[in-house]
Amino acid sequence: MRKVVTLSIFSLFLGACVSNDAVEGVAESPVHYIDLTSKEYKERVKEYWVVETSQHPKYPISAARKRVSGCVDVIVGIKKDGRMGEYKVKKSYPEGIFDQSAIAVLKHWKWTSTQENTDSAPVLTTVQLDFMVDGAKNKSEAETLCGFTHI
């Protein structure tokens, strides 16, 4: 029992002496993105990056059961390595239903820099992911708010 108490006190003492310097040295420096999120610059992302690998998002089971269609418009930071960096949901309809599925799939996307983007400059752009189901209860609203047409 005495050894356990002694070891516990010794462990606490060692833990208190650990410096945060090692952790701080590992932190990434902030990424400085070129902002291409406005409508007038939306197409310019193709001058910098091209989608190399993409996947379709998984349709949430809860949305399928409710027969709901929608979309998620995400502001995505494309880093120097062609992977998604920072992100923010710009708009989603219905709000919060498809957000997690959209973000999860975008984490697997890969972009390739174009010949014009020799420095692989990071950019901010928008990506809209659509979630459609036949016979959706919210068909007309989804078509209007997301800008797509059901089959």
Side-chain angles (χ1 to χ4, degrees):
M1 180 69 170
R2 189 171 185 202
K3 287 182 183 179
V4 173
V5 172
T6 304
L7 284 175
S8 298
I9 292 171
F10 185 67
S11 297
L12 286 172
F13 177 76
L14 283 178
C17 292
V18 173
S19 170
N20 287 335
D21 292 341
V23 176
E24 290 173 12
V26 178
E28 284 186 40
S29 59
V31 178
H32 300 286
Y33 294 100
I34 298 170
D35 189 353
L36 302 176
T37 57
S38 66
K39 287 182 182 180
E40 62 209 48
Y41 296 127
K42 183 156 176 64
E43 291 300 312
R44 288 198 57 205
V45 71
K46 294 174 187 171
E47 296 173 22
Y48 292 89
W49 297 94
V50 177
V51 176
E52 178 185 314
T53 306
S54 66
Q55 298 175 1
H56 294 287
K58 292 185 179 180
Y59 202 95
I61 294 170
S62 60
R65 286 186 182 137
K66 295 175 185 175
R67 311 269 328 142
V68 175
S69 288
C71 58
V72 181
D73 196 13
V74 183
I75 296 173
V76 177
I78 302 172
K79 300 186 301 184
K80 280 180 128 358
D81 65 358
R83 298 278 179 196
M84 181 178 88
E86 298 175 37
Y87 65 88
K88 179 181 180 181
V89 174
K90 181 178 177 181
K91 174 187 90 168
S92 65
Y93 172 79
E95 193 172 322
I97 301 285
F98 301 106
D99 296 12
Q100 287 182 327
S101 294
I103 298 304
V105 76
L106 284 171
K107 288 180 179 179
H108 295 284
W109 282 31
K110 173 89 169 112
W111 288 264
T112 301
S113 60
T114 63
Q115 289 181 340
E116 295 84 19
N117 189 10
T118 56
D119 296 336
S120 299
V123 301
L124 283 177
T125 188
T126 57
V127 175
Q128 180 173 312
L129 296 171
D130 297 327
F131 297 81
M132 298 178 282
V133 64
D134 288 335
K137 294 178 180 179
N138 64 340
K139 177 182 176 183
S140 62
E141 277 186 333
E143 289 175 342
T144 302
L145 296 172
C146 297
F148 59 76
T149 313
H150 282 65
I151 297 172

